[in-house]
Each structure stands twice: as structure tokens, then as C-alpha cells.
Amino acid sequence: MATVCAISLAGASRADGPGQNWTHFVRIGAYGLSSTNADEIVRDAQATHAFGIEVDNDVPGRYESFLDPTEKLAAIHAVAEKAHQANNKAYVYIAGTECITANADKAAHSVVKDHPDWLQRKITGEAAVFTGGAAFWIRKGDEDVWISPYAMPWRKTYMERVRQIAATGIDGIYVDIPYWMTHFDGWESTWASFDDFTLAAFKAKTGLDARKIVKLGDFSDENFRKWVDFRIATFTDFMAEIRENARRVNPLIMVIPEIYPGIEEEAVRVGADVYQLYGVADAIAHEYEFGSGDHMAGSRSQMDWFLYQVGMLSFRGFAQGKATWLLNYSWDGDKEVDAREAMKTLAASQVMLGVNFWDAPGHSMGGSNDAATRTEIFKWIEKHEEALYHPRTAIQPVGVYFSPDSRNYDAAHFLPSYRGTILMLLQAHHEVQVVTPRTLGEFRGSALILPDVSSVSEEERTGLNKFVAGGGRVVVEGRDMIGLAEFPLVTRISSSPGAAHLAKLEKDFAAGSRSISTELLRVLPENKDLKIEASPSVVSYAAVVDGKRHIFFTNFSGIVPHRTVKPTPENGATVTLTAGPKTTLAFLPFLGEERTVTGEAAGDKVTFHLPAFDRGAVVWVNESK
């Protein structure tokens, strides 16, 4: 058995924000870790202003080190020590339920040869075993398997490896895609896994035989809904157990799952729901992709950029103050697009929402499309990290309710209404807050919109009725399936303006942006203390940061996929505040320097005409009596 290294809890000391830790301030660089390159990794991270070093020497996801992790544990300990000496942080990649045996065709031992009962399976019995070509990271001759999280002999050893990794003194454990195998070719509609371990666990929980009683893919079937809930709870519990084991050895360690589905139906299919996972993790790294296309920043349309904003805004709502990391990709050889410009636009789109930036070439994790540009971005983020990443407190938001059950069981109706509603509010420059069952009791905004919410728990129903009874304004948009009590502040719109707006934008983004319906907007209270005017291709996020009112702008004007990735400058943005006549604005353009903007006073209002900005800007109010 491998020995456990002594824990070193030394590391970077920094001026974190209230209730924050190092995960909120990462500027991520990723590196392959060997037994000899710890010094090189840390030197490069320091030179490029990376903070938060991801290292890859997967212990449980490679069968050889799953059996004997001694050499890899020593390497993890070495890079942790070097990072701490440089006042940096490091975290190590491990796989979730995936395990690869190198050259398995020639090896005496592999997971399939030694433990075929561990494997996830289709309902027909086919095992989740793949070879070179099934995914870009599986080499010829390798055996790639996906293991049932209920295979208890495997899980016992896996958790032991987690404890051993935590004992090295590393600052974090980065768990890659803890999923049910439903995302490789031929597995998308299987709703796996139907291995004996998983079937037994489901029967123990529900009394049901999933092979016989569940109508797969039929969301009207109560038993299938139980299967859906069980599959999501499985990986939520798995991540909670990883964190519990790691913290038992090292109380300061952070556990960060990497998840690619966001708010979409894929989260239900693979069983990794970021809404649930934020409750059991210390941060989440989103490798966020949805829809068609290659998902590169250089190929995104204005519509794509806005939909990514909806996803990130949702993640920030789910996180409840925890950090949100985003591994996205700016460029992959597109000769019509300057990689440097794509990197900058991608970075601005993330940091203005308080999301931590991570860009890499193609679909890798390590390296950069342009090291000098990444360094420039990292240096600017580092200089202004307090404004970007200190806690943001809502001012007078309009809430949009994310209903987990509606997404889980009725995504086709809920998601268009939810997304379109947020898009409409963003384009009209309302302050938006995503409200969830976990945050409903704390919501104090001007109104709460329920966008085609069709399924809620009894606890949610109670919370929503309590919100209404307490004087909360609610707009029920689309189908009314909740049965809220009749109150004067409850407005019902039988159609879904959000879904209609989304459809118009998808058909013609420019035309749809010019014809925003007022049916929903006119029933929302006016914010008399803050008014933002800008192009509908600009999004704005208002919040209080460190006691001052801030507005974060991101601009997507003029973007054309594969051709123009740098936005056309926004020249006409204005901010009108209730404030004293001597109040000024600090104006900080993305990658630029701070300057002061004076306003035009009229009564108790001051209007500020903002300087032009291309990708984005932060402004904050400096009050003066």
C-alpha cells in the first residue's frame, strides 16, 4: 500500500473578500505533472501571472495508479510544496467514474479483465468499454471504461486514493466529469446504468426493478421520474463523499468538479446537475458547451454569446457565493479570426459576470493560444480582482425562478421560457437575479417571474405562497401549474413572452433585439434609483461591491462568427442615478486604465455619459456630499 505524505497546510496568504477563499481569485493555467517538472510548472505559472495551478497526473482514472499511486502521490506533494513556496495554489486532476488502462490489449491486468462487474451497462447488458477513437483522449490500444459509482469495492479504494491525495498538502482536488455513461456515441438515449450494483441500489431506495417497471425516456411516467431523481442524487452524493473524505484528512482542501452540461437537459441525462452539485462542492469548473457548432469564441454568433450569459448568470445564482470557473475555448486554427482577439472577448464575457477565466487551445486543458495575451489578461484581472471577484450584493433585481423539477421533467417548455425571459430583461437593461428553491426565502427583489414553471415540490410551493403572502410581487408567465393564491400583486400572463422573444432572436437576432415586447416589462416595477441605457447588444449587471454601487458591462455589438470577434465600440451608454450633484463614476474599460467620469445633475438625479468601450467595462459610484 502506498504511503501517505505529510500534510503541508502552508500556502498563499492573500487579502480575500468577506467569506471568500482562493478559489474566487484563480487565473487558471493547466499543466501535465511528472515526477520531475514541479519547478518548471510553478516558474511558468508565476511568469504568466497564473494563480491556481491545475496539474494532471490522474491517480484513480488510470488503472495502474489506481492500484499503486506511490509515484504520483510524491509528484503531487512536490508541486504543492513548490506552489506554496511561490505563494500560489495548486490542485490536481482526477477522473470521476472513468478509468483507462494503457495498452490494455497487451497488459495482464485491466478493469475489464479483473473486475467486469464494476462496469456501467445499458439495459441490454452492453458494458461501457471503449477503445481508441471513441474520444480524442483515448489512445489506440487503451481500454477506457466507466464504472458504476455503486461498485462498492471500487468506491472504497477510490475514496482511499482521495484521502491519500488530500494528505499530500495539495490545495484542491479537481474531479473530471463524474457522470453516468450517456454521452458517447450509441449511449445518448440509454439512461444508464443498469449494472447489478446500481439496480440493487435503486431497488433498495424505491422498491422498484428499473429493468421492468421504468419507461425509459417517458417523463410522464412516475417511475421514470424516480429513476431520473435517483441518477442525479447518485452523483451529488458521490461528490459529497469525495469532499468528506478529502476534508477528513486536510480540512482546508477544496473539491472542484468539472461539469460540461449547464442548465440544459443534458444535465438530467448524464446525472450531473450543477444546481445540486454547488451544494456539495467548493467551486465548480464548467466546461460549458451547448447547442451545435464547435463552441469556440471565434465562431460564436451574438445569439450564442447571449445564451452563454444566461448560462453563467444561472451558475452564479446556483453558487450562493461559491466560485464559478469556466473552461471555454477561444480559437482552434480558424484562419479568419485572430486568436488574441478571441481570447480577449471570451475573457471579458466571463469576468464581467464574476466568473473565473480559463482558456486553452482547442479542447485541451493546458497551454494557451497565445501566452503573451493570456499574461496581459491575467495581469489586468490580478490588478482589479477586488472589483471583479469580491462578493456582489443585489440592489433592486427582478428575479427569474429556476425550477429544477421543471427543467428535469419538462425541459422543452421550461428552458425556452426561462432563457428568453432572462434575455429580454438583459436587453432591456433590468437588473436580473436567478432565484432558486435554495435562495427563494432570501429574495428581496422588486418582482419574481415564474417562466413556464410546471413542476415544484411541496416545499417550493409553500415557499412561493409565503413569498406572495409577504407582499412579494409575482409574474406567472405561461402555464400556471402552481396554484398560487389570488393576491393583487400576482400577475398572470397566459402566453410566454420569454419563449416568444427567444424564438424571435433565434430567427433574426438583430430584428428581435429591436422589437422587445412590453407585455412582460410593463408589469415590472420601475427602478427609480438606477436607469441604464445602452444598445440591446450590451448586457449590464448592477450590484453593490465593497459598499459601492457597481455596474459591469459586456458588449457583443457587431460580432460576426468566423470573421469579426472584436465588438464594435459602444458609444451611447448612459447611467442615471439618484445621487448628490458632486457624485462621480469611476470608469474601468476591460484591459484599460481607470478614469473619472463626471455627470449632469438634475434634481436628485445625475446622468453619466460613459466613454466608448469595446468588449466591456466596470463602473462604480463614488458618492460625494
Side-chain angles (χ1 to χ4, degrees), residues 260-262 264 266 287-291 294-295 308 328-329 363:
Y260 87 81
E264 293 77 30
E266 287 83 359
E287 189 180 13
Y288 185 38
E289 298 180 355
F290 63 90
D294 61 18
H295 308 290
Y308 271 91
N328 263 186
Y329 306 99
H363 279 80

Side-chain angles (χ1 to χ4, degrees), residues 231-249:
R231 294 171 78 255
I232 292 174
T234 295
F235 279 109
T236 306
D237 294 344
F238 180 67
M239 285 305 309
E241 187 174 341
I242 291 174
R243 188 172 185 270
E244 178 187 350
N245 275 270
R247 287 281 176 102
R248 191 187 310 167
V249 177

Side-chain angles (χ1 to χ4, degrees), residues 143-429:
E143 168 197 285
D144 178 87
V145 303
W146 293 72
I147 297 172
S148 168
Y150 291 106
M152 289 308 168
W154 167 83
R155 189 160 174 158
K156 180 180 178 181
T157 301
Y158 186 100
M159 295 303 168
E160 182 180 358
R161 299 292 175 258
V162 166
R163 295 191 297 272
Q164 290 172 320
I165 292 168
T168 65
I170 197 75
D171 299 295
I173 298 177
Y174 182 96
V175 186
D176 187 23
I177 55 173
Y179 296 167
W180 297 109
M181 170 39 67
T182 54
H183 53 291
F184 278 14
D185 288 345
W187 286 75
E188 297 88 344
S189 301
T190 61
W191 297 97
S193 171
F194 295 89
D195 62 275
D196 289 344
F197 287 109
T198 300
L199 290 170
F202 182 66
K203 189 167 187 178
K205 185 175 181 65
T206 65
L208 301 174
D209 183 339
R211 281 176 298 198
K212 297 179 180 178
I213 202 71
V214 173
K215 298 178 181 178
L216 294 184
D218 182 356
F219 286 96
S220 68
D221 176 42
E222 181 182 354
N223 291 330
F224 177 63
R225 291 189 180 197
K226 290 179 180 178
W227 182 246
V228 164
D229 294 342
F230 166 79
R231 294 171 78 255
I232 292 174
T234 295
F235 279 109
T236 306
D237 294 344
F238 180 67
M239 285 305 309
E241 187 174 341
I242 291 174
R243 188 172 185 270
E244 178 187 350
N245 275 270
R247 287 281 176 102
R248 191 187 310 167
V249 177
N250 181 349
L252 299 182
I253 200 166
M254 301 293 164
V255 173
I256 308 108
E258 180 196 309
I259 306 297
Y260 87 81
I263 60 174
E264 293 77 30
E265 185 269 348
E266 287 83 359
V268 183
R269 196 172 292 271
V270 304
D273 178 9
V274 296
Y275 170 69
Q276 299 294 347
L277 288 171
Y278 265 111
V280 299
D282 297 296
I284 289 181
H286 300 266
E287 189 180 13
Y288 185 38
E289 298 180 355
F290 63 90
S292 59
D294 61 18
H295 308 290
M296 298 291 162
S299 65
R300 290 183 191 172
S301 65
Q302 289 176 299
M303 185 69 189
D304 293 332
W305 284 109
F306 267 79
L307 288 173
Y308 271 91
Q309 292 288 298
V310 175
M312 288 188 284
L313 186 64
S314 300
F315 303 154
R316 297 309 296 137
F318 301 166
Q320 293 182 271
K322 295 178 180 178
T324 296
W325 303 358
L326 195 63
L327 172 58
N328 263 186
Y329 306 99
S330 61
W331 187 81
D332 190 22
D334 189 338
K335 297 188 185 328
E336 302 302 316
V337 172
D338 187 328
R340 298 166 298 180
E341 300 298 338
M343 291 172 68
K344 292 175 183 178
T345 301
L346 181 63
S349 77
Q350 297 173 3
V351 302
M352 293 302 167
L353 248 170
V355 171
N356 296 86
F357 172 63
W358 183 357
D359 174 52
H363 279 80
S364 65
M365 295 173 66
S368 176
N369 284 306
D370 185 83
T373 302
R374 190 181 83 168
T375 301
E376 177 189 2
I377 293 169
F378 280 178
K379 288 174 71 174
W380 187 86
I381 293 172
E382 182 179 19
K383 183 177 180 180
H384 302 290
E385 62 182 12
E386 293 183 3
L388 297 172
Y389 294 124
H390 273 194
R392 302 184 184 186
T393 303
I395 302 174
Q396 191 179 329
V398 175
V400 180
Y401 193 68
F402 181 85
S403 166
D405 285 350
S406 299
R407 190 282 311 275
N408 291 353
Y409 310 145
D410 191 22
H413 288 100
F414 172 72
L415 283 176
S417 187
Y418 172 80
R419 279 174 158 162
T421 299
I422 292 178
L423 289 174
M424 181 185 297
L425 295 172
L426 289 177
Q427 292 193 294
H429 301 293

Side-chain angles (χ1 to χ4, degrees), residues 86-108:
N87 212 33
N88 212 316
K89 296 287 187 180
Y91 45 97
V92 65
Y93 173 107
I94 68 172
T97 58
E98 184 181 24
C99 191
I100 295 175
T101 305
N103 301 308
D105 52 345
K106 302 174 184 176

Side-chain angles (χ1 to χ4, degrees), residues 401-530:
Y401 193 68
F402 181 85
S403 166
D405 285 350
S406 299
R407 190 282 311 275
N408 291 353
Y409 310 145
D410 191 22
H413 288 100
F414 172 72
L415 283 176
S417 187
Y418 172 80
R419 279 174 158 162
T421 299
I422 292 178
L423 289 174
M424 181 185 297
L425 295 172
L426 289 177
Q427 292 193 294
H429 301 293
H430 282 265
E431 181 187 352
V432 185
Q433 180 180 344
V434 170
V435 180
T436 73
R438 290 199 297 261
T439 61
L440 175 61
E442 305 165 2
F443 179 64
R444 298 294 181 269
S446 63
L448 177 62
I449 301 173
L450 307 181
D452 264 307
V453 172
S454 58
S455 298
V456 294
S457 67
E458 285 306 311
E459 183 179 0
E460 285 179 86
R461 195 183 306 275
T462 299
L464 289 166
N465 275 297
K466 183 177 179 181
F467 177 77
V468 171
R473 182 185 298 269
V474 171
V475 179
V476 179
E477 180 186 355
R479 293 176 299 169
D480 185 1
M481 306 288 286
I482 302 173
L484 289 177
E486 294 290 337
F487 278 88
L489 292 181
V490 175
T491 301
R492 291 174 169 84
I493 301 175
S494 59
S495 61
S496 173
H501 185 61
L502 179 68
K504 287 194 298 182
L505 292 176
E506 289 176 330
K507 182 178 180 181
D508 186 326
F509 183 84
S513 299
R514 291 192 298 267
S515 60
I516 299 175
S517 170
T518 60
E519 183 180 12
L520 175 60
L521 299 179
R522 70 189 176 197
V523 302
L524 300 176
E526 179 186 0
N527 185 342
K528 296 181 180 180
D529 295 320
L530 173 63

